C-alpha cells in the first residue's frame, strides 16, 4: 500500500519556487503592457519626442518632419 509522506519546506525554498514559477509569466505580461502603453501614448508629443525618437532603429520614423511654416503656434 502506498503511503503519503509530507515534507516540510523552508520559507526561503517556498519563496524561490513561487518566484521561479511566476517570473516568466509576469515578464511576458509586463513586456506586453509596456508595449501597449507605448503604442497608445505614441501620439503624445512628449512621449514621441523624449522616448520614441531616441530608439536607434525606429527613431527616424517618429521624427517630426513638418516644416516650421506649416505648424500652428
Amino acid at each position: 500500500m502506498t503511503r503519503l509522506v509530507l515534507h516540510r519546506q523552508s520559507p526561503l525554498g517556498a519563496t524561490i519556487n513561487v518566484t521561479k514559477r511566476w517570473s516568466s509569466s509576469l515578464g511576458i505580461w509586463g513586456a506586453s503592457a509596456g508595449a501597449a502603453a507605448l503604442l497608445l501614448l505614441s501620439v503624445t508629443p512628449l512621449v514621441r519626442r523624449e522616448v520614441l525618437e531616441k530608439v536607434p532603429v525606429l527613431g527616424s520614423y517618429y521624427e517630426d518632419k513638418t516644416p516650421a511654416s506649416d505648424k500652428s503656434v
Side-chain angles (χ1 to χ4, degrees):
M1 185 158 194
T2 306
R3 282 180 34 177
L4 178 64
V5 180
L6 300 176
H7 296 282
R8 289 190 135 198
Q9 188 175 19
S10 70
L12 180 62
T15 303
I16 290 173
N17 282 340
V18 169
T19 304
K20 283 181 187 177
R21 190 176 313 137
W22 285 96
S23 63
S24 62
S25 177
L26 290 176
I28 291 170
W29 278 100
S32 301
L38 276 178
L39 177 67
L40 293 173
L41 293 173
S42 66
V43 295
T44 308
L46 180 66
V47 173
R48 180 177 290 198
R49 182 177 59 246
E50 297 296 326
V51 178
L52 296 175
E53 284 183 4
K54 295 179 182 175
V55 175
V57 177
L58 299 175
S60 63
Y61 177 78
Y62 288 104
E63 285 180 7
D64 185 17
K65 297 179 178 101
T66 307
S69 61
D70 291 342
K71 293 182 182 179
S72 62
V73 179

